[in-house]
Amino acid sequence: MDQNNSLPPYAQGLASPQGAMTPGIPIFSPMMPYGTGLTPQPIQNTNSLSILEEQQRQQQQQQQQQQQQQQQQQQQQQQAAVAAVQQSTSQQATQGPSGQTPQLFHSQTLTTAPLPGTTPLYPSPMTPMTPITPATPASESSGIVPQLQNIVSTVNLGCKLDLKTIALRARNAEYNPKRFAAVIMRIREPRTTALIFSSGKMVCTGAKSEEQSRLAARKYARVVQKLGFPAKFLDFKIQNMVGSCDVKFPIRLEGLVLTHQQFSSYEPELFPGLIYRMIKPRIVLLIFVSGKVVLTGAKVRAEIYEAFENIYPILKGFRKTT
Amino acid sequence: MAYQLYRNTTLGNSLQESLDELIQSQQITPQLALQVLLQFDKAINTALAQRVRNRVNFRGSLNTYRFCDNVWTFVLNDVEFREVTELIKVDKVKIVACDGKNTGSSTTE
């Protein structure tokens, strides 16, 4: 009867704060210090009590090693603490009659590894608090938030449309079939433009936020509906989002294209901005000498923010000093 | 085939009303009235193109617009028509505009 059923016995030690890089996953972490007893042990017996004793012994060994590895494992502690607290509480729940509740383990988790994002009540003197930024451990965020400038979305109205009827009866509509096979309609609030095709599909452009884009698309659908067509609102999807911001310092584009040539293309005779094609997230950035940056190609807002956070330290490195 | 655009003007409407009266009193046939109107279209188009030289500026706020069959229809609000000599203010004006190069024969009014 294995009461510690959250993890196999050999991985119990890995669930503790110092022992694993990711919470709860029984991996053989390369970070594991030798000789602490954290290397996976063969299963000696399935008696939960003895496993618990072994676990406590391992933890005491870990504490002795803790001061040597604090800086490196601070993040891992905090990440593992979430799982560890969960596991310790679940382990406590499954202890039952056994009087050996892992008090040491529990209190240790609480004081040295607070949940991410919260400041602990009793800051441990041993472990300095650093925010969890796994991608760029040493730098802080830029403090600049890109503003969304344009959202392009599509929706299917689900029925064939007679564009001439729509153009003749709706307000603020243009229809020139010789030039373009869609009705171009505009509304003032949110200020957007829609391309409405005879298949019933529609493109909505110009909104400044995802919610506005959806609202505008619904307004166009309502216009079409009021003209007598059985319009529905199927498969609304945001196809592209454009954001812009200003880093507030001039940038050496020549330097940037030299070091990041696999991502950048800079032809000042063609276009004054450097075109940076970021791989992850897949965003295209137009970077200008003035420090203004345009980000496009995002399907979600987070991609714009992530791309900017990625490029900002790079741009800081190419700040013009004159 | 000139634009029949100008039939719905003060001049064009007066003509149409007169023609209708003549038809009522059996003095002309409807076919003849149609021919008169077609001639009117030609005449008014050439007259405006050749005999009118003055220029008027206007400015207002756009309420609605439409473009269909190569015809623009605008509705403006609070418009000022400005000519060198005088100024006219209007609350609402509807503008129907056809292509000036006369590329297509328009049957819409």
Side-chain angles (χ1 to χ4, degrees):
Chain A
M1 205 160 48
D2 186 13
Q3 291 183 349
N4 300 316
N5 51 9
S6 53
L7 282 184
Y10 62 81
Q12 293 291 349
L14 290 174
S16 61
Q18 289 81 7
M21 289 177 71
T22 47
I25 299 175
I27 55 170
F28 304 143
S29 164
M31 298 297 296
M32 274 196 304
Y34 289 102
T36 56
L38 289 180
T39 47
Q41 308 288 335
I43 299 170
Q44 281 147 7
N45 55 53
T46 54
N47 187 327
S48 60
L49 214 60
S50 70
I51 287 170
L52 189 57
E53 284 173 349
E54 194 179 273
Q55 195 180 0
Q56 285 183 333
R57 210 178 45 238
Q58 287 173 358
Q59 285 150 23
Q60 283 162 6
Q61 288 171 0
Q62 288 160 29
Q63 280 175 15
Q64 290 159 9
Q65 304 262 346
Q66 191 180 354
Q67 284 161 353
Q68 297 171 10
Q69 290 125 21
Q70 264 169 35
Q71 294 293 336
Q72 220 169 7
Q73 291 171 341
Q74 177 60 33
Q75 291 177 10
Q76 298 147 21
Q77 285 175 26
Q78 290 180 343
Q79 285 172 359
V82 182
V85 169
Q86 292 165 356
Q87 284 172 7
S88 71
T89 49
S90 69
Q91 283 162 14
Q92 275 195 329
T94 57
Q95 290 304 327
S98 141
Q100 294 187 346
T101 50
Q103 287 294 344
L104 210 61
F105 179 55
H106 194 57
S107 62
Q108 179 189 13
T109 337
L110 280 180
T111 53
T112 61
L115 293 174
T118 61
T119 49
L121 287 176
Y122 314 104
S124 161
M126 293 196 295
T127 58
M129 297 293 126
T130 54
I132 295 179
T133 49
T136 55
S139 70
E140 30 184 71
S141 73
S142 63
I144 303 169
V145 181
Q147 296 304 308
L148 289 179
Q149 301 294 350
N150 182 26
I151 314 264
V152 178
S153 59
T154 54
V155 70
N156 185 1
L157 301 179
C159 62
K160 294 266 175 287
L161 303 175
D162 180 15
L163 296 187
K164 184 146 170 201
T165 318
I166 295 176
L168 282 174
R169 293 173 56 199
R171 294 169 174 238
N172 302 324
E174 296 166 50
Y175 181 46
N176 194 356
K178 289 183 299 193
R179 209 165 63 113
F180 190 54
V183 167
I184 301 152
M185 198 184 295
R186 294 180 175 87
I187 54 173
R188 288 190 164 94
E189 182 54 53
R191 196 166 286 272
T192 50
T193 304
L195 307 175
I196 305 171
F197 293 85
S198 54
S199 62
K201 296 212 173 145
M202 180 170 79
V203 181
C204 175
T205 63
K208 299 282 189 197
S209 84
E210 304 91 319
E211 208 40 55
Q212 282 186 7
S213 190
R214 193 188 178 90
L215 175 65
R218 287 207 105 98
K219 288 192 178 181
Y220 289 114
R222 190 167 3 121
V223 169
V224 170
Q225 201 177 54
K226 281 192 178 165
L227 292 178
F229 298 94
K232 296 177 267 301
F233 200 74
L234 310 171
D235 308 322
F236 175 81
K237 184 179 177 200
I238 289 175
Q239 302 289 355
N240 186 28
M241 301 174 72
V242 181
S244 71
C245 55
D246 186 3
V247 300
K248 301 272 197 278
F249 55 79
I251 302 170
R252 286 182 286 118
L253 297 183
E254 259 316 319
L256 181 55
V257 73
L258 282 174
T259 50
H260 289 78
Q261 59 198 36
Q262 62 211 124
F263 307 108
S264 319
S265 99
Y266 178 45
E267 295 273 350
E269 293 177 9
L270 274 187
F271 185 64
L274 184 150
I275 301 160
Y276 191 104
R277 294 179 189 275
M278 196 175 282
I279 309 292
K280 180 168 168 40
R282 200 163 72 86
I283 299 284
V284 175
L285 299 90
L286 304 177
I287 305 164
F288 296 87
V289 176
S290 58
K292 297 256 188 351
V293 179
V294 175
L295 307 94
T296 184
K299 285 281 195 284
V300 289
R301 189 185 280 249
E303 285 175 5
I304 298 263
Y305 293 161
E306 188 187 341
F308 182 68
E309 291 305 315
N310 287 349
I311 201 83
Y312 188 69
I314 298 167
L315 295 181
K316 277 204 288 192
F318 287 99
R319 182 181 193 138
K320 253 192 212 170
T321 49
T322 51
Chain B
M1 191 49 193
Y3 288 126
Q4 297 182 2
L5 180 62
Y6 301 100
R7 294 194 189 181
N8 189 20
T9 55
T10 316
L11 196 55
N13 279 325
S14 315
L15 177 62
Q16 283 186 316
E17 281 170 32
S18 311
L19 288 173
D20 286 337
E21 280 181 26
L22 290 174
I23 293 173
Q24 286 299 325
S25 58
Q26 306 277 356
Q27 286 171 292
I28 62 170
T29 64
Q31 175 63 15
L32 180 57
L34 182 61
Q35 289 300 320
V36 170
L37 286 170
L38 289 174
Q39 181 58 35
F40 166 76
D41 295 332
K42 275 188 242 174
I44 190 80
N45 273 291
T46 45
L48 287 170
Q50 303 296 333
R51 289 164 56 184
V52 176
R53 303 278 166 199
N54 53 339
R55 180 200 182 100
V56 177
N57 291 332
F58 61 95
R59 156 173 293 177
S61 51
L62 182 65
N63 189 324
T64 60
Y65 65 88
R66 174 177 294 117
F67 182 69
C68 195
D69 295 325
N70 273 329
V71 177
W72 278 104
T73 308
F74 302 104
V75 175
L76 310 185
N77 291 121
D78 303 322
V79 194
E80 288 186 354
F81 286 88
R82 203 175 282 267
E83 207 183 357
V84 179
T85 46
E86 58 191 289
L87 169 70
I88 303 168
K89 289 196 188 177
V90 196
D91 284 338
K92 176 181 166 183
V93 66
K94 180 174 195 171
I95 298 175
V96 180
C98 295
D99 196 359
K101 297 205 174 62
N102 211 11
T103 49
S105 62
S106 172
T107 53
T108 59
E109 295 184 19

